[in-house]
Amino acid sequence: MKSLLTLTSLFLKQLIRRRSLWIVLIVFAAMISVNYFIQSQMEKAIGRGVSFDIATRQAASALQSFAEQIRSYSVFLILIVSALVAPVSRKDGTTQFVLTLSVNRLRLALSQYTALSVLVFATVIIVHVGYVMAARKLGIMSAGEMALSWVFLLIPLMLFSAVIFSFSLSHSAIVTYIVFMAIPYIIIGLAEVGIEELADYVPMAVVRFMDNLKLLFPDIRGLIVWPKLSFGIVSKTPPFPNWTWQIVHTVSASFFWILLGFWFYRNYDFGSRTATK
Amino acid sequence: MHGMTHTDRRAGDAVIEFEGVHMVFSVGIKKPVHALQGLNLEVTAGSIVGLLGPNGCGKTTTISCLLGLLHPQGGEVFLWGKRVTGNPPSDPTRIYGVLLEDTKLPPFLNVKSALAVVCRMRGFRERGLEKELDRVIHTTRIEGLLNRRISVLSKGQARRVGLGAALVGDPSLLILDEPSAGLDVSAREEFNELVRNLRDNHRTIIIASHLLSDIERTCTHIAIMQNGKIILYEDSETLFSRAREERGDKDILVDQKYADNLNDMGIEFRPSKYPGLILILVEEPEHELLLKLASAKIVPSRIEPKVNLVSLYLDATAEANEQ
C-alpha cells in the first residue's frame, strides 16, 4: 500500500510537471470568469430597466447553456489528458525505471490511474463549486443538487478516463485519439448524418455495420446529467433514451475497452522496437 | 497480470538462465530483425559476467527479456528459478538493481528525491531510509549532486546517480547495461572503479558492454554475443590461461624497481595486473628485447603469452563468422 502511495505521488508530480496543473488552473479561471459574467449580465440587464425576474431568467438560461458546454467539453478534455499520462511516462523513461524496481505492471498502471483520478477529481470539484456559486445567486439549483450532483459528473468522467488510460498503456497518444475521437466522432458521425442516402449506394449490411459500430464505444456524454441529480432531463427532444439500457451499454462498452487495453498492456514490449508476434 | 507460473523450477545455484530464447522485431515493412536466436546462458551466484558483443548483437534485448520488459517469442528465461513472464519476481528478499542504458531516473525530481523514491519502493522508511540514502550517496560519491534536478545532470553524473539507485537495498543481483557508454576517459575510469568496488563473493553482476577494457579488469566470466547468440562463455581465468597456451607472442614483465633503468634505455612500460610488476610495451622481437634487458642486468619476473580480451574477442567473432 505504501509503495502504491509512493508511486501515485511520483506520477502526480509527473502530471503536474507536464503542465496538467495548468489545465486545472485554466478551468478554475474559466469558472471565476463565468461567475463574473453572470453577475455583470444581471447588473447590466437591471441597469437597462429589465425587471429583476427577467434578468435572473436570462442569466439562468446563460448558465444552463454553459453547463451544457461543460458536459460536452469535459469529455474531450478527459480524452486529451488521459491519453497522455502513460505515453509520456514511457517516453521519459519513468515507466521503465519503475518496472526495474520490481514493481509489477498492474501496480504501475494502478498508481498512474490514481494520480490521473486525483487530477480529474480536483477539476470536477473546481467546476462544480464555481457553477454552484453562480447558480446559488440565481436560485436554479436545489440543496441536494449543490451537495451531490458533482458525483454525476465525476463518475462518468472517471469511467471514460479509465477507458482512455487503459488503451494508452500500450498505444501512443495519437493512436488513442484516432481510435476514440476519429472513429466514433467523425466516421460514425458522418455515417449517421447520411445513413439513409448511404443505403442507396452501399449494401445494407455495410450500412448496418457502420450504424452498429458506434455501439462499441461508450456514450459517456449521454450519461452526464450534472448539474441535475436525475436522468431524463438532458435530452429535450424524442426519442427519449431508456436510461437503464443506456447505462448498461455505456458501462459494458467501457469495460470492453478497459479489458482490451489491459490485454494489450499485458503483452506490451517496453523496447524501442516493435516485436513481431 | 501474472508473475510466475507452474513452469517455475526449484532455485539452484543458477541465478539467471536463458534457454533457447528467440526475439524477433519487425521494422516497418522491412525484413524482421532476429535480435535473439536461440540464446542459452546460465549465470551462477557470485559471478561477475561481462556480456560483450558489437552494437546490435542483442545485449540490451537479452537484459530486457530478463527484466520482463520484452516478451520473447520462443524459449524461457528464469530468474532465481522463477520463469520471467513480464512481471518482476515477487520475493521481497531477492531484489535486483538495474542500470539500463536508455532509462533515466524521473527527470522532474532532484537527485535526493529520486533516490528517496527508490528507497521507499524498496521498503525503507524514516530512519532506515535516511541511513540507506547516506550509504548509497557515500558509495557512489554523489554528495555534491543531491539538490540538482535529474534533467540537468551530465551523462557521467546521471550514470553515477543511476548506479546509486540500483544499489539501494544492497541487491544480490546487479544488472548494468552499457554502464560507462558515452562517458569521457576520466569519468569512465571513475565509474569503473565504483563498479569494481562492488565485487564481493555474494553479489552477482551482469555488465553488458562493448568496451572490452571495462570488462577485462572487472569480470570473473566472459560471455561474447554475436547475431543474437552466445558464441563464447567461460570463466575469465580459464579462458585467458588457455588462450595464452595457444599463442606464441609473449608479454615480458619486470620488477617495478627497474622502472628508472627502462626509462634510461628509452623502453616504454605500463603497470600490469600483477602487483609490483610492470609490463614492457616495446614492439620488437622478443629475443632482441631480452638481449637488451640482459645487457642492463634486468631479469624478467614473468614471461607469458601476449593475450588480452581484444584478441580473444576478435578470435571468437572471427571463428563464429567462419561458421
Side-chain angles (χ1 to χ4, degrees):
Chain A
M1 186 62 192
K2 281 181 178 170
S3 65
L4 189 68
L5 283 177
T6 304
L7 280 182
T8 302
S9 137
L10 176 72
F11 286 113
L12 200 55
K13 279 180 192 158
Q14 188 187 33
L15 265 177
I16 289 167
R17 298 290 166 119
R18 294 297 301 184
R19 300 188 188 90
S20 300
L21 183 71
W22 297 110
I23 294 176
V24 177
L25 290 176
I26 289 166
V27 169
F28 183 67
M31 292 316 297
I32 291 173
S33 311
V34 169
N35 213 347
Y36 174 76
F37 172 74
I38 300 291
Q39 186 87 24
S40 64
Q41 204 186 32
M42 275 182 74
E43 280 167 7
K44 273 183 199 164
I46 292 167
R48 286 198 308 268
V50 176
S51 73
F52 183 78
D53 192 34
I54 292 171
T56 305
R57 238 179 282 161
Q58 280 177 352
S61 165
L63 193 61
Q64 275 160 357
S65 92
F66 186 68
E68 173 60 30
Q69 283 177 18
I70 289 175
R71 283 194 290 268
S72 299
Y73 290 123
S74 60
V75 175
F76 281 102
L77 185 71
I78 289 297
L79 198 158
I80 288 163
V81 175
S82 303
L84 289 174
V85 179
V88 162
S89 182
R90 284 199 300 273
K91 198 175 171 189
D92 76 9
T94 307
T95 295
Q96 289 88 329
F97 161 72
V98 170
L99 285 171
T100 61
L101 295 175
S102 307
V103 174
N104 80 29
R105 292 180 180 214
L106 190 62
R107 184 170 280 253
L108 168 71
L110 189 63
S111 56
Q112 285 177 318
Y113 180 68
T114 310
L116 176 64
S117 302
V118 170
L119 197 78
V120 174
F121 178 77
T123 311
V124 165
I125 291 300
I126 287 169
V127 167
H128 181 72
V129 169
Y131 190 87
V132 165
M133 280 164 67
R136 195 170 54 89
K137 286 174 192 159
L138 302 171
I140 57 168
M141 274 182 102
S142 68
E145 285 169 342
M146 285 183 198
L148 293 172
S149 66
W150 60 272
V151 176
F152 286 81
L153 182 60
L154 181 69
I155 290 176
L157 292 184
M158 293 278 278
L159 187 64
F160 192 51
S161 75
V163 168
I164 303 300
F165 170 75
S166 59
F167 191 79
S168 71
L169 282 169
S170 53
H171 294 85
S172 67
I174 296 292
V175 171
T176 310
Y177 294 146
I178 288 170
V179 170
F180 290 97
M181 232 191 269
I183 296 176
Y185 291 100
I186 298 173
I187 299 175
I188 297 171
L190 282 176
E192 264 185 350
V193 168
I195 204 88
E196 284 175 17
E197 289 77 11
L198 204 64
D200 297 336
Y201 303 102
V202 292
M204 188 51 77
V206 175
V207 177
R208 284 197 178 131
F209 171 76
M210 289 181 75
D211 197 29
N212 286 300
L213 189 60
K214 76 167 185 180
L215 288 173
L216 278 179
F217 296 90
D219 179 18
I220 295 292
R221 168 66 193 83
L223 281 195
I224 302 176
V225 294
W226 175 88
K228 301 293 175 193
L229 262 181
S230 58
F231 290 101
I233 49 160
V234 174
S235 178
K236 288 174 184 164
T237 54
F240 297 107
N242 178 328
W243 287 108
T244 308
W245 283 113
Q246 176 94 4
I247 293 167
V248 168
H249 165 253
T250 304
V251 171
S252 308
S254 298
F255 277 95
F256 164 75
W257 286 104
I258 291 169
L259 290 175
L260 190 69
F262 274 93
W263 184 81
F264 282 129
Y265 180 55
R266 181 176 175 269
N267 299 301
Y268 185 73
D269 286 317
F270 289 93
S272 51
R273 291 180 290 186
T274 313
T276 305
K277 296 292 180 190
Chain B
M1 291 303 116
H2 50 281
M4 306 299 159
T5 71
H6 64 281
T7 52
D8 296 347
R9 53 177 61 175
R10 217 150 32 119
D13 202 24
V15 175
I16 294 164
E17 287 168 273
F18 285 83
E19 286 181 0
V21 175
H22 283 267
M23 186 82 215
V24 185
F25 293 107
S26 60
V27 186
I29 54 168
K30 290 181 190 167
K31 214 173 132 187
V33 175
H34 293 262
L36 298 181
Q37 302 186 65
L39 180 94
N40 291 302
L41 180 68
E42 187 178 316
V43 177
T44 50
S47 32
I48 301 170
V49 180
L51 194 57
L52 284 171
N55 291 329
C57 73
K59 300 185 295 290
T60 300
T61 304
T62 302
I63 286 178
S64 298
C65 288
L66 176 64
L67 298 174
L69 297 175
L70 294 175
H71 297 79
Q73 288 94 342
E76 304 278 11
V77 184
F78 296 92
L79 185 57
W80 286 302
K82 304 273 187 189
R83 187 168 159 258
V84 176
T85 57
N87 276 321
S90 51
D91 185 350
T93 59
R94 282 179 157 169
I95 59 168
Y96 53 79
V98 182
L99 177 63
L100 293 181
E101 188 189 6
D102 57 354
T103 300
K104 295 166 284 182
L105 289 154
F108 46 90
L109 297 179
N110 68 27
V111 170
K112 194 170 182 182
S113 309
L115 291 175
V117 167
V118 181
C119 286
R120 279 190 211 103
M121 293 306 299
R122 293 268 193 245
F124 291 96
R125 299 282 179 270
E126 295 165 8
R127 222 178 269 176
L129 188 148
E130 289 297 325
K131 210 172 157 189
E132 183 62 8
L133 263 181
D134 286 345
R135 186 187 73 79
V136 165
I137 289 164
H138 177 72
T139 307
T140 48
R141 301 197 284 271
I142 50 173
E143 291 87 349
L145 307 174
L146 298 182
N147 294 319
R148 295 178 72 176
R149 282 265 290 274
I150 298 286
S151 55
V152 300
L153 295 178
S154 73
K155 208 162 188 176
Q157 291 167 337
R159 298 308 273 171
R160 267 160 59 192
V161 174
L163 182 64
L167 289 176
V168 170
D170 200 18
S172 56
L173 172 63
L174 207 50
I175 299 162
L176 311 175
D177 186 15
E178 304 283 2
S180 53
L183 303 187
D184 62 39
V185 177
S186 57
R188 211 174 91 195
E189 199 41 51
E190 197 183 346
F191 190 87
N192 285 336
E193 196 198 324
L194 277 178
V195 175
R196 278 196 291 276
N197 290 339
L198 298 172
R199 288 184 297 188
D200 59 36
N201 292 327
H202 309 292
R203 202 193 312 272
T204 310
I205 306 178
I206 294 196
I207 307 171
S209 178
H210 56 260
L211 298 170
L212 307 185
S213 55
D214 293 356
I215 300 290
E216 187 172 9
R217 284 179 289 162
T218 311
C219 297
T220 60
H221 289 70
I222 307 287
I224 298 179
M225 284 188 79
Q226 195 172 34
N227 300 326
K229 281 183 193 161
I230 300 284
I231 55 169
L232 187 148
Y233 182 48
E234 217 161 348
D235 73 274
S236 36
E237 206 169 303
T238 314
L239 186 66
F240 280 104
S241 57
R242 200 186 59 235
R244 281 191 194 104
E245 282 166 19
E246 290 167 2
R247 286 177 168 253
D249 299 342
K250 301 285 192 293
D251 275 337
I252 296 173
L253 297 109
V254 300
D255 198 290
Q256 206 159 13
K257 67 184 179 189
Y258 296 120
D260 290 340
N261 304 45
L262 294 175
N263 276 330
D264 293 343
M265 295 162 74
I267 297 175
E268 284 185 53
F269 58 87
R270 69 165 168 81
S272 75
K273 60 185 173 184
Y274 300 106
L277 296 185
I278 50 179
L279 173 70
I280 293 176
L281 296 173
V282 178
E283 290 291 329
E284 61 180 278
E286 270 162 45
H287 65 276
E288 285 180 21
L289 178 63
L290 286 170
L291 278 175
K292 270 189 193 175
L293 293 176
S295 64
K297 295 185 179 164
I298 297 173
V299 183
S301 301
R302 289 183 82 102
I303 299 178
E304 55 185 34
K306 200 185 281 285
V307 63
N308 57 25
L309 194 50
V310 177
S311 56
L312 286 175
Y313 175 81
L314 293 173
D315 285 351
T317 49
E319 204 175 301
N321 282 338
E322 277 171 23
Q323 285 169 4

